Amino acid sequence: MTKLLWEPPFIQPHRLGEINKFGRMKARDSYVEHIFGVPVTLLKEEFGSPCFVTSETHFRNNLQNLKKAFERRYGDVIHGWSYKTNYISAMCNIAHQEGCYAEVVSAFEYEKARHLGVPGEKIIFNGPNKGKAILERAINDGAHIHLDHLDELNLVDEIASRLNKIVSISLRLNFDTGYTEPWSRFGFNIESGQARQAARLLSASKNLKLTGLHSHIGTFILEPKAYAQQIKIMCKFMREIEAQDDIEIDTIDIGGGLPSKNALQSIYLPPEQVIPPLSEYADAICNTLIEETNYRSQLGRKKPTLIFESGRAAVDDTQALLTSVVGTKRLPDGKRAAILDAGTNLLFTAYWYNHQVQMTRPADGPLADTALYGPLCMNIDVVRSSIQLPPLEYGDTLVINPVGAYNNTQWMQFIEYRPNVVLVHEDNTYSVIREREDLQVMCQQDRLPAHLVTSFIDSKSEAKSK
Amino acid sequence: MKKKSKLKLGNGSRCERLHQLAISETGFIFDPQTGQSFTVNQTGLFVLDGFKKGQNTDFVSHNLSEACSVPIELAQSSVEAFIMQLERYL
Amino acid sequence: MKDWRTATIAITGVNARAENPGPGCAVARCIREHGEFKGKIIGLGYDALDAGLYARDLCDQSFLLPYPSSGEDALLERIKDIGTIEPIDAIIPCLDSEMQSFSRLKKSLSKNNISLFIPSRDQFNLRAKNNLFALCKEIGVRVPETKTVTDPTFFDRCADEGWGYPLIVKGIYYDAIIVYSAFDAHMAFSKLIGTWGYPCIVQKLVQGDELNLAGVGDGNGHLLSPVMMRKRAVTDKGKAWAGVSVVDKSLERLAAKLVNKLAWQGPLEVEVIKAPDGKIYLIEINPRFPSWIYLSHAVGRNLPVALLKTMCGEKVLELAPPSSGTFFIRHAQELIVQLQEFESMMVLGGTRQAPILKNTDAESA
């Protein structure tokens, strides 16, 4: 008699609707033994679990492909590396080595870019909260400042006049493209006349000079035509203000929002079926911009430089998260569940993506609906609420991907240390690019007032130890 | 789900209720009394089979621990939990 | 596929809930009832309660498929597995949501000697709701005035902008809701955005008769074997409950124009409204046969068989001349399913080799 595979005996009533043994089936043998060419076992042994593993080759390829797609079609193009998507220093420097500017949205990001050696003229400074001190530095450095609101306009004007400088400025715009939910809280609205007002004020200013227009229509945009519409609206606005005031626009910044091959929870079909290829976006964007600025060549004027700020599309699939099973259970409704050592503390994007989860050994037993939970004592710490997996065991290693966008920046330090981030270099060697946190890191910003230096005041044992 | 009959924990008397169930070797179970169907895993099937033969909890647990090479305490506590599930559904 | 007469044809969409049945059972019935067909039919479903899986008069065997959300790799693997039990010569996909997967699998399936005759991804996308307007404008086909909406305050001021109620609010992929007030519209908007994402499509309601045309595009710009139907009664989901065959030259011309423009390959359904002034407005193009396709067999223009013949390169389709006046009334009836069949579907995901239950009490109970 063959040995019976151990699992606690279990009975589960059938519920009607969605009864389909093969419904969430996965292609067979979908386990991996390597992450970006490095054996999983080696990574786990050397860097512990969990850990992030990143590919330099992938990242460089993605950056080159993006740049090429736009350059080939339009020519004068700048890619601003969106720091907020992944600002681990090594990642930023890979992007800069590939020719990307730094696209930053806060004082911290600005300082980080400068710290990494990025010159001011290669920094695009966005964001709604810039602050006086950092604006002054940015102006002195010659960074490209994108204004978000009128108070900021006044602040920059004041600094510029105090420093007696002429500062080139871009305006962030918002408007309804008819494709995406308008992000009307950022920048100046076109339909209500705010953008015209700002342009007028800039044109009247002695120290500020409006030279660029910027907008960002949203995130994970699945319809290339949305960008075409965005560019049409921006160019129409450009021609209006150029005709009316003494303004010459030399950069059009279309923001980011290009999708990655990740599965949004709200979209039914798998990503490879719903995400258009990069070429469709590049066609829509570049063809429209060429069409809309053709008039310039007749006037003997230069085309505006196209700036794009893609983060997700460049970095998402260049990183995977290695994690381990620390416990398994059956939920009262019969569903299988496993607890992992990485949860939404490290994988913030699990709140909106259904990340792919791969086994690192062949399946031993049939696939079944399984919930994957993280290590936090929070009910919402769910990595996947439902995924078909074989029976998991304590100590099993899983690989979650793609995770490269927004996790190394939005991860939170809640009850756990943040883990190592490893980079696999182009020559297949690898190194840590961000060390795991430890108690010292966690405590170093704490300050104890004199009366709080000891924990238990009347403890005898403590008195003794002194 | 309505409980139409209480599955008694006492050994032996649960036999009758279990005998009413149509149990397939695939793990498909149909309860003719309520019209409800179930899926049971392979170890559950092993335990049900024992019960239907009139074996008591200790005996079934012992067999299960042997068949799966797991400690008797683990088998025994799991079988007891399984009986609680059966009582909930049958 | 060499000869459709002896081939094994797999058909998806055999779900048959009375208020909104999939087309699969009707397609199977057309093929089954054609005098020359001696092959096998395999029903492919997505839920153990899809009635067609158990319809022994229509399907020789039935199997469950992975949901379209599982992607094409899982689908291919499942189809290969089914092929080891029952080799398949051709598949007729009948649901919108699976078209992407099948069109991406065309080559792989062909390597496994399985034929498909379906539109390409480009053709599929061009007829999508959000592209239809531009396409129609290009070839001079009327569509009800359409607008994409991302800002729901539109519904409060739309009447002033010439968009009086009632209006139709549509999700970007599926679903359409008729709204009679701003309140309704806001509800419909949040529901559709929540389900299908941005944007919503708002369309003016055109009053008139609902006419539908089913046909097959040969991939070279020709519309084969059009069959037209006017809805005479609809379910509360707007699906045909009763209809009658009609011959409408203007509808046929419109469909031929679309098929020609798109070089459409495969089955399609064209839905239009004919206004009292005789003008035709295109509502939708569906990339598959409709649920009412059995009417095509009844009027002597069996479309599923015409599709199979086209796939085999046969030029003579032996169609009856177009005719009007044949009615259909859709009705529901109970299909009897044995416990063993249901068990097999649940446990094995198919009808093959149903295991026998050990206990016979079940039958006597």
Side-chain angles (χ1 to χ4, degrees):
Chain A
M1 190 187 137
T2 53
K3 193 181 148 243
L4 193 56
L5 198 70
W6 171 251
E7 195 189 13
F10 202 88
I11 183 166
Q12 197 173 6
H14 297 147
R15 290 171 202 86
L16 294 185
E18 289 224 330
I19 299 178
N20 183 346
K21 181 184 165 74
F22 294 99
R24 296 198 168 76
M25 140 180 196
K26 288 202 285 192
R28 250 192 301 269
D29 294 329
S30 57
Y31 74 95
V32 290
E33 288 175 322
H34 296 80
I35 305 177
F36 303 123
V38 183
V40 171
T41 45
L42 212 69
L43 288 164
K44 190 170 176 175
E45 201 181 288
E46 207 162 324
F47 303 106
S49 173
C51 80
F52 284 94
V53 187
T54 323
S55 164
E56 180 175 352
T57 312
H58 261 61
F59 190 34
R60 285 189 190 273
N61 285 345
N62 286 353
L63 291 166
Q64 287 162 9
N65 288 340
L66 275 165
K67 190 84 178 285
K68 252 188 263 162
F70 290 100
E71 254 171 12
R72 220 178 22 229
R73 291 169 173 86
Y74 188 73
D76 192 7
V77 174
I78 290 168
H79 182 184
W81 172 243
S82 154
Y83 265 44
K84 62 188 169 295
T85 314
N86 192 319
Y87 46 56
I88 289 187
S89 303
M91 299 300 278
C92 292
N93 275 350
I94 293 173
H96 297 317
Q97 286 182 6
E98 292 299 332
C100 293
Y101 282 28
E103 188 264 319
V104 302
V105 292
S106 65
F108 153 63
E109 286 195 347
Y110 187 89
E111 286 173 357
K112 179 147 193 178
R114 293 292 290 126
H115 173 73
L116 289 172
V118 181
E121 66 266 24
K122 292 202 168 176
I123 299 178
I124 299 160
F125 197 2
N126 285 320
N129 171 32
K130 300 189 184 78
K132 200 169 182 174
I134 200 72
L135 275 172
E136 186 163 337
R137 181 173 177 191
I139 289 169
N140 276 323
D141 290 346
H144 304 270
I145 296 168
H146 290 195
L147 293 182
D148 185 75
H149 47 78
L150 272 184
D151 293 307
E152 197 171 69
L153 189 153
N154 293 332
L155 189 58
V156 173
D157 200 10
E158 179 199 311
I159 298 168
S161 82
R162 182 157 42 80
L163 299 177
N164 199 19
K165 278 185 183 261
I166 307 280
V167 180
S168 289
I169 287 293
S170 290
L171 270 189
R172 173 146 179 184
L173 306 171
N174 74 67
F175 42 84
D176 185 3
T177 59
Y179 287 95
T180 54
E181 183 181 18
W183 281 20
S184 42
R185 54 169 286 187
F186 299 109
F188 299 85
N189 181 259
I190 289 188
E191 292 93 348
S192 68
Q194 288 165 5
R196 282 299 287 274
Q197 185 200 359
R200 192 32 83 73
L201 290 172
L202 285 172
S203 138
S205 160
K206 280 183 218 134
N207 298 89
L208 304 184
K209 200 173 141 211
L210 177 58
T211 58
L213 297 178
H214 168 218
S215 75
H216 181 88
I217 54 172
T219 186
F220 220 90
I221 307 292
L222 291 173
E223 177 52 80
K225 279 187 293 191
Y227 286 101
Q229 190 59 23
Q230 173 195 18
I231 288 169
K232 275 187 195 159
I233 294 170
M234 288 177 80
C235 287
K236 181 166 173 277
F237 179 77
M238 172 174 78
R239 294 187 71 163
E240 282 168 13
I241 56 171
E242 284 188 340
Q244 192 154 13
D245 296 309
D246 180 26
I247 288 171
E248 277 195 27
I249 298 298
D250 55 32
T251 60
I252 296 274
D253 182 339
I254 58 164
L258 293 181
S260 61
K261 291 253 156 65
N262 219 328
L264 272 181
Q265 285 164 6
S266 57
I267 291 176
Y268 181 69
L269 290 174
E272 65 273 16
Q273 296 190 8
V274 292
I275 294 166
L278 176 61
S279 59
E280 283 185 22
Y281 290 96
D283 277 343
I285 291 166
C286 298
N287 294 348
T288 313
L289 191 54
I290 289 168
E291 246 166 60
E292 294 291 325
T293 55
N294 250 342
Y295 72 96
R296 287 201 170 184
S297 55
Q298 286 152 21
L299 301 172
R301 281 179 61 193
K302 198 176 151 293
K303 279 186 307 181
T305 302
L306 169 64
I307 302 177
F308 68 99
E309 301 169 350
S310 282
R312 184 193 315 280
V315 79
D316 210 11
D317 67 357
T318 70
Q319 192 175 60
L321 175 63
L322 179 158
T323 176
S324 303
V325 174
V326 297
T328 60
K329 54 174 72 173
R330 279 273 187 184
L331 301 178
D333 66 356
K335 191 171 176 171
R336 283 185 195 152
I339 301 142
L340 310 178
D341 59 10
T344 51
N345 53 329
L346 304 183
L347 212 54
F348 200 75
T349 52
Y351 287 128
W352 57 86
Y353 289 139
N354 285 328
H355 289 290
Q356 188 189 153
V357 179
Q358 289 172 299
M359 297 284 290
T360 55
R361 60 167 172 86
D364 187 6
L367 303 188
D369 195 23
T370 308
L372 298 177
Y373 299 124
L376 307 184
C377 46
M378 299 196 309
N379 202 34
I380 55 170
D381 183 20
V382 181
V383 173
R384 287 295 302 266
S385 60
S386 169
I387 180 171
Q388 291 280 311
L389 286 173
L392 295 173
E393 283 172 19
Y394 175 83
D396 267 339
T397 313
L398 301 177
V399 177
I400 301 178
N401 57 46
V403 303
Y406 292 101
N407 287 307
N408 289 168
T409 51
Q410 287 187 319
W411 53 6
M412 55 175 166
Q413 182 276 300
F414 174 63
I415 74 169
E416 296 272 345
Y417 297 122
R418 280 174 285 203
N420 281 317
V421 180
V422 177
L423 181 74
V424 180
H425 309 159
E426 287 190 289
D427 61 2
N428 283 334
T429 59
Y430 45 85
S431 64
V432 171
I433 54 171
R434 192 177 194 275
E435 293 273 355
R436 78 184 287 271
E437 291 168 343
D438 55 20
L439 189 62
Q440 196 201 336
V441 173
M442 300 292 245
C443 296
Q444 83 188 1
Q445 299 302 101
D446 289 0
R447 298 291 177 269
L448 286 170
H451 67 289
L452 294 177
V453 168
T454 51
S455 46
F456 290 94
I457 296 168
D458 288 319
S459 162
K460 280 177 191 164
S461 60
E462 205 164 316
K464 255 185 215 167
S465 72
K466 283 178 186 168
Chain B
M1 197 182 322
K2 281 180 197 163
K3 274 188 194 171
K4 294 214 170 165
S5 79
K6 183 82 182 155
L7 190 75
K8 293 192 187 79
L9 262 173
N11 291 335
S13 57
R14 78 166 73 94
C15 212
E16 197 182 323
R17 180 75 177 97
L18 292 180
H19 265 290
Q20 292 175 345
L21 299 180
I23 304 176
S24 159
E25 59 195 14
T26 59
F28 182 87
I29 293 181
F30 180 72
D31 181 353
Q33 197 173 308
T34 62
Q36 177 67 40
S37 58
F38 304 88
T39 297
V40 71
N41 63 1
Q42 287 302 303
T43 46
L45 203 59
F46 182 94
V47 173
L48 280 178
D49 211 42
F51 284 159
K52 281 181 76 172
K53 286 179 191 149
Q55 297 165 357
N56 65 23
T57 307
D58 286 347
F59 194 74
V60 171
S61 304
H62 176 78
N63 286 348
L64 184 65
S65 106
E66 294 235 305
C68 295
S69 320
V70 291
I72 179 71
E73 297 79 16
L74 179 60
Q76 210 154 20
S77 56
S78 301
V79 170
E80 273 160 20
F82 184 59
I83 291 170
M84 283 177 72
Q85 290 168 30
L86 292 174
E87 283 183 330
R88 195 171 152 206
Y89 297 133
L90 300 178
Chain C
M1 179 170 51
K2 281 198 188 103
D3 186 1
W4 62 275
R5 290 166 188 81
T6 53
T8 300
I9 313 292
I11 298 167
T12 71
V14 294
N15 53 315
R17 280 167 78 140
E19 82 282 10
N20 187 11
C25 288
V27 172
R29 197 169 167 211
C30 284
I31 297 172
R32 179 68 83 203
E33 293 190 9
H34 191 276
E36 291 172 48
F37 183 73
K38 302 284 180 275
K40 280 187 186 168
I41 295 179
I42 293 182
L44 301 175
Y46 291 98
D47 192 300
L49 291 184
D50 285 354
L53 296 169
Y54 309 96
R56 286 165 292 270
D57 55 334
L58 299 179
C59 301
D60 297 278
Q61 297 229 20
S62 300
F63 299 94
L64 291 174
L65 294 181
Y67 302 130
S69 57
S70 303
E72 69 256 22
D73 294 341
L75 178 63
L76 178 63
E77 195 143 305
R78 178 72 180 135
I79 289 172
K80 281 187 191 165
D81 281 355
I82 292 170
T84 62
I85 303 172
E86 193 66 63
I88 297 170
D89 296 306
I91 301 177
I92 306 181
C94 289
L95 300 177
D96 296 2
S97 54
E98 61 191 17
M99 283 301 161
Q100 298 255 24
S101 288
F102 277 111
S103 78
R104 294 164 69 96
L105 286 180
K106 229 168 178 174
K107 269 190 196 155
S108 322
L109 289 173
S110 153
K111 267 185 214 152
N112 287 276
N113 299 317
I114 299 174
S115 310
L116 276 177
F117 203 70
I118 56 170
S120 67
R121 177 172 173 265
D122 285 350
Q123 293 172 339
F124 183 82
N125 285 343
L126 278 170
R127 57 95 249 169
K129 277 184 202 172
N130 50 335
N131 292 326
L132 195 59
F133 195 72
L135 172 76
C136 289
K137 217 167 140 188
E138 201 184 321
I139 57 172
V141 167
R142 259 182 223 96
V143 282
E145 217 176 316
T146 303
K147 192 178 165 62
T148 58
V149 172
T150 52
D151 174 7
T153 59
F154 168 78
F155 297 115
D156 303 319
R157 56 185 153 80
C158 59
D160 303 335
E161 297 175 16
W163 289 74
Y165 292 100
L167 294 169
I168 303 178
V169 186
K170 294 181 167 185
I172 180 81
Y173 299 114
Y174 300 101
D175 286 353
I177 301 171
I178 299 180
V179 296
Y180 297 91
S181 65
F183 180 78
D184 285 357
H186 278 278
M187 298 276 284
F189 181 82
S190 8
K191 183 174 170 242
L192 293 169
I193 293 292
T195 313
W196 304 113
Y198 281 87
C200 254
I201 293 159
V202 178
Q203 205 166 57
K204 285 191 180 170
L205 192 66
V206 180
Q207 302 290 350
D209 291 332
E210 281 188 57
L211 297 179
N212 292 5
L213 175 146
V216 173
D218 71 353
N220 298 317
H222 302 110
L223 172 65
L224 307 175
S225 184
V227 175
M228 288 162 269
M229 176 276 281
R230 184 188 149 192
K231 288 184 192 174
R232 294 299 300 266
V234 293
T235 66
D236 55 8
K237 291 210 166 172
K239 306 291 167 188
W241 161 28
V244 60
S245 68
V246 293
V247 179
D248 187 309
K249 285 290 167 199
S250 55
L251 169 57
E252 188 176 337
R253 276 196 300 274
L254 179 146
K257 216 180 201 177
L258 289 168
V259 166
N260 186 267
K261 170 71 190 168
L262 294 168
W264 189 266
Q265 173 165 311
L268 84 165
E269 181 191 25
V270 178
E271 294 185 28
V272 302
I273 301 245
K274 190 161 192 176
D277 61 4
K279 284 181 182 149
I280 286 192
Y281 294 84
L282 179 68
I283 303 296
E284 213 160 77
I285 303 173
N286 295 315
R288 47 158 175 83
F289 287 127
S291 310
W292 54 270
I293 197 66
Y294 185 66
L295 184 67
S296 74
H297 175 68
V299 299
R301 297 166 74 83
N302 191 321
L303 270 169
V305 168
L307 172 77
L308 293 177
K309 286 184 176 175
T310 308
M311 288 169 80
C312 293
E314 291 181 26
K315 297 279 178 233
V316 186
L317 300 179
E318 293 176 281
L319 303 172
S323 66
S324 60
T326 305
F327 272 75
F328 74 84
I329 304 166
R330 192 171 283 165
H331 73 302
Q333 66 176 17
E334 293 73 29
L335 198 85
I336 300 304
V337 178
Q338 299 301 330
L339 183 58
Q340 286 87 344
E341 295 176 285
F342 184 66
E343 177 193 350
S344 172
M345 203 53 73
M346 294 264 332
V347 178
L348 302 176
T351 45
R352 179 85 172 182
Q353 294 160 345
I356 307 301
L357 291 171
K358 280 190 214 159
N359 196 316
T360 49
D361 289 356
E363 281 152 41
S364 57

